[in-house]
Amino acid sequence: KLILIVLMVNNNSFFFIGRFISVIIIQISMSIHARIQEISDRRYYVMMQCLQSENKIMQQVLTEMIPPSFNNVIVSTKNETEKTIPIKSYSQATVLYSDIQGFTNFSSTRQPKEVIQLLREIFREFDKKLTKNGNFKLDTIGDAYVCMSLNPENICDMAFDMQKIMNNFESKSHLGLLLR
């Protein structure tokens, strides 16, 4: 937009200084626009860094929870419109359900934060043994830990490892919690 400022000097002589002011306004406006664009670019960069970080965490969690054969299929079909997972048949599979005996009484007398912290600590140790034994975590439901293996011997090793973890935990804490 062109802004004209007219000054009267002597007898009807006009000086138009509008063009000068227009140039200044355009430069200021371009400077403001550039600054806004810079801020926007910074926000976009930070947002993308956060998204990439969250994506890495999600991929790690998926890798730990889902058998590698299924994880590869999910990753390879991520950009396709129709996702198909091949059906596989296994001659044997074993599921392990565990439960912490005494947990209901324990949790009824503690703060929620303390209960969650305890479960997180125990389940973290279970998770470490999980991949060592070639098993896959299916779910945690309250104080129940559910995992599976295609090899029954692996799931037996996992059960013994879980018992050892709970026995070590109980010998340190004396909370009266046992694994069944």
Side-chain angles (χ1 to χ4, degrees):
K1 295 180 181 179
L2 181 62
I3 299 174
L4 296 176
I5 297 179
V6 180
L7 294 175
M8 190 184 294
V9 179
N10 292 338
N11 296 331
N12 295 332
S13 300
F14 295 99
F15 293 99
F16 293 95
I17 58 170
R19 187 171 188 98
F20 174 72
I21 291 177
S22 294
V23 170
I24 291 175
I25 291 173
I26 289 171
Q27 286 178 344
I28 291 172
S29 145
M30 289 174 56
S31 174
I32 291 171
H33 177 74
R35 181 68 177 139
I36 290 171
Q37 186 64 41
E38 179 185 340
I39 291 169
S40 176
D41 289 347
R42 283 185 192 171
R43 286 183 181 163
Y44 177 78
Y45 176 77
V46 169
M47 183 180 71
M48 290 307 292
Q49 293 293 77
C50 290
L51 275 171
Q52 288 173 351
S53 175
E54 289 298 318
N55 191 27
K56 284 180 185 177
I57 291 169
M58 183 187 71
Q59 288 297 330
Q60 287 174 333
V61 169
L62 281 176
T63 302
E64 290 175 9
M65 291 180 62
I66 299 174
S69 58
F70 290 127
N71 198 11
N72 292 339
V73 169
I74 291 170
V75 170
S76 67
T77 60
K78 188 170 26 176
N79 295 324
E80 297 176 12
T81 56
E82 185 179 317
K83 295 182 180 182
T84 57
I85 297 177
I87 298 172
K88 290 187 178 182
S89 172
Y90 298 99
S91 61
Q92 57 188 356
T94 308
V95 177
L96 170 65
Y97 291 90
S98 68
D99 179 58
I100 300 176
Q101 182 179 342
F103 183 77
T104 304
N105 290 336
F106 168 81
S107 63
S108 67
T109 61
R110 302 293 197 280
Q111 293 294 319
K113 186 176 181 179
E114 183 181 353
V115 172
I116 290 172
Q117 190 173 359
L118 173 85
L119 285 176
R120 188 176 292 148
E121 185 179 333
I122 293 170
F123 289 165
R124 189 175 295 133
E125 292 301 315
F126 289 174
D127 289 344
K128 288 177 186 175
K129 295 293 182 179
L130 190 73
T131 54
K132 173 195 145 250
N133 291 326
N135 302 314
F136 307 102
K137 182 176 181 178
L138 296 178
D139 206 355
T140 55
I141 309 161
D143 64 316
Y145 190 90
V146 185
C147 61
M148 69 156 290
S149 178
L150 300 176
N151 183 345
E153 292 173 9
N154 288 351
I155 211 76
C156 288
D157 291 341
M158 181 66 184
F160 286 125
D161 286 342
M162 290 169 71
Q163 283 289 350
K164 287 178 192 173
I165 290 168
M166 279 305 292
N167 290 340
N168 288 339
F169 182 80
E170 180 56 30
S171 68
K172 293 176 190 173
S173 65
H174 305 291
L175 295 172
L177 301 176
L178 302 172
L179 191 67
R180 55 178 165 182

